[in-house]
Amino acid sequence: MTSTVISILAVIGIGVTAYCVWRAIISARTPQGAVAWTVFLVSSPWFAVPAFLVLGRRKLRDYRAEWRRSREIVRGFGPDGASRLPQTGKRAALTALERIGGLPFAPGNQVQLLVNGDATFDAICAAIDDARTTVCVQFYTIRDDTIGRRLSEHLVRAAKRGVKVRTMYDGVGSQKLSNRWVRALEEAGVVVLNPDQARGPTSRIEINFRNHRKTVIIDGVIAFIGGHNVGDEYLGRDPKVGPWRDTHLEVRGPVALQAQMVFAEDWHWASGEALGDELDWKPPGHAVPGTGQIAALVPTGPGDEMDSGTLMFITAISAASERIWIASPYFVPDSDILSALIAAALAGKDVRILLPEAIDHYLPWLAAHAYFDQVRAAGVRIMRYKRGFMHQKVILIDDDLAAVGTANLDNRSFRLNFESMVFVADTGFAGEVEEMLRADFEQSQEHEIRLQDCGYRIRYGAPVARLWAPVL
């Protein structure tokens, strides 16, 4: 290699490094983050530049304009949807949640908890069998196993009787999905979005930003949203994983239409196809003002102008006057969420974090131990679920606000993944969530061990794993 070529490559390398440093400076959330990336990029550019290109970006800037276009197109199909906030002390929080998600709280919803996989997939398959016009399916993970083939059979039958069925899945979460599963649907007339041919977070190319939503919408009237993906382990059938604790929602009413709008946004962004004439956008006939439960879907993601995932959690935590219970499979909070939880506990509020004792992803499980001493010192109770793996994503605020959906208590859900949470402002539903979580607490043990008293693996590994918190 001549000296001229070497010089050219050196200049290119310096230019790329300088560009990455500039992007880190203008995009990092904190000065500390900007300094950390700058030092890494300058000291080890051959390692740092590829890492920054994959992990360093906080927003999908390249796609934001197209995302806005998708949202404008889809919102043009749906009803305007006037906000109907209840006269409670949480009006300010509900207003903030509306502005974060861009969708209004509306009455007339019928929200039902679906506890664990059998209840969830029995309800989903029954609704697909009753579908008259459309079925929209979106999961982060779909497997070609027993439950995956069961779902496929119901979708195929729906398509063969004339129902328009569309299915999309995440290219990374479903990377092991067989071509056989896809072909069976396509041969029946189901439209399946191929992640290899998609753009944005559905594509396998966009590694760091994922579409983590798990939604099924029937006729624009019924929606299923929650923690379950499509795989046998989500029904506790994998002997390596054991029992699986998860929660989904069945929602009938205006929130189902909101879920359909979000699906259409994701579909248009990934494929460029608008679904205006393909879906029913009329409000459900039974959604009578003043009846049913007041609820709203709060979608969040890196395409938003603000850190909507973080703001959603902070808004919920700040709304509490007495109680904050959060169930999540992972606990890797950023400094904002950490401070909000600590401040709430110091104010005397009942703050509990329900986490699994079992491990499915080792690094975030290990990193969580680095936060326990700090939050426990403020009065936060850490409950470790011991009856199998717990994967649900649930928030309970006082006695009148609860949420179920897909967002974990970690940085991926705060900033990197596209998520959806259904917030329900209803004392009856909040009571059902409380009863469910109390049953989970009975299957849990409070974590009271200090980090310094843990084994060597956790004591020394947790602080190191915490360094990876921004991408866990």
Side-chain angles (χ1 to χ4, degrees), residues 15-27:
V16 172
T17 301
Y19 171 78
C20 291
V21 168
W22 172 245
R23 296 302 305 176
I25 291 173
I26 65 174
S27 64

Side-chain angles (χ1 to χ4, degrees), residues 117 128 300 356:
I128 293 172
T300 61

Side-chain angles (χ1 to χ4, degrees), residues 149-445:
R149 289 187 288 273
R150 179 187 174 192
L151 176 65
S152 173
E153 291 169 359
H154 286 270
L155 294 176
V156 166
R157 288 203 297 265
K160 287 183 175 179
R161 67 174 187 269
V163 177
K164 296 179 180 178
V165 182
R166 293 179 181 271
T167 301
M168 64 188 304
Y169 52 87
D170 187 85
V172 172
S174 301
Q175 60 182 320
K176 296 182 180 179
L177 182 62
S178 70
N179 292 330
R180 178 185 60 184
W181 191 91
V182 176
R183 283 197 305 270
L185 268 65
E186 290 178 335
E187 290 172 358
V190 176
V191 181
V192 182
L193 186 64
N194 185 345
D196 291 330
Q197 299 173 358
R199 58 186 175 182
T202 300
S203 170
R204 291 185 176 94
I205 297 175
E206 193 61 66
I207 296 175
N208 202 34
F209 300 100
R210 311 309 318 160
N211 199 319
H212 196 240
R213 292 171 179 147
K214 309 160 184 69
T215 309
V216 178
I217 308 107
I218 312 296
D219 299 332
V221 177
I222 307 171
F224 298 88
I225 301 170
H228 287 95
N229 285 297
V230 182
D232 285 349
E233 69 269 33
Y234 292 87
L235 284 85
R237 296 175 180 172
D238 187 339
K240 294 181 181 180
V241 178
W244 190 280
R245 173 71 186 88
D246 220 327
T247 302
H248 231 73
L249 286 184
E250 176 182 328
V251 185
R252 297 171 182 262
V255 167
L257 199 61
Q258 294 179 357
Q260 182 173 271
M261 294 174 72
V262 173
F263 177 90
E265 289 173 7
D266 288 346
W267 188 276
H268 181 264
W269 191 16
S271 68
E273 179 188 9
L275 302 180
D277 298 329
E278 299 290 326
L279 303 174
D280 186 358
W281 298 103
K282 296 178 182 179
H286 63 273
V288 180
T291 66
Q293 295 155 316
I294 295 177
L297 182 68
V298 181
T300 61
D304 299 334
E305 287 287 348
M306 299 178 286
D307 287 334
S308 53
T310 299
L311 290 171
M312 180 194 69
F313 273 101
I314 290 177
T315 298
I317 294 168
S318 302
S321 58
E322 297 179 358
R323 170 172 63 188
I324 305 152
W325 292 356
I326 301 177
S328 170
Y330 315 113
F331 183 62
V332 192
D334 65 3
S335 59
D336 296 332
I337 302 295
L338 194 65
S339 297
L341 291 170
I342 290 173
L346 289 174
K349 300 169 188 177
D350 178 9
V351 183
R352 304 187 197 183
I353 309 297
L354 178 64
L355 302 168
E357 179 72 26
I359 306 171
D360 76 328
H361 296 300
Y362 183 72
L363 204 58
W365 177 89
L366 183 61
H369 289 79
Y371 300 92
F372 289 163
D373 286 356
Q374 186 176 1
V375 297
R376 286 177 53 249
V380 177
R381 299 179 64 186
I382 302 296
M383 312 298 294
R384 307 301 298 271
Y385 187 79
K386 302 181 74 67
R387 191 173 179 269
F389 185 73
M390 192 216 70
H391 188 254
Q392 63 180 327
K393 304 91 164 56
V394 178
I395 304 171
L396 177 62
I397 305 299
D398 297 334
D399 298 323
D400 54 1
L401 182 63
V404 177
T406 70
N408 298 315
L409 200 57
D410 64 7
N411 192 65
R412 297 210 63 85
S413 288
F414 299 155
R415 296 182 183 85
L416 302 178
N417 290 342
F418 287 81
E419 309 281 7
S420 291
M421 295 289 288
V422 177
F423 278 81
V424 184
D426 182 82
T427 55
F429 180 75
E432 295 176 14
V433 172
E434 176 185 2
E435 183 178 355
M436 177 185 72
L437 292 179
R438 286 194 183 278
D440 292 332
F441 292 149
E442 292 178 1
Q443 303 291 333
S444 306
Q445 181 176 351

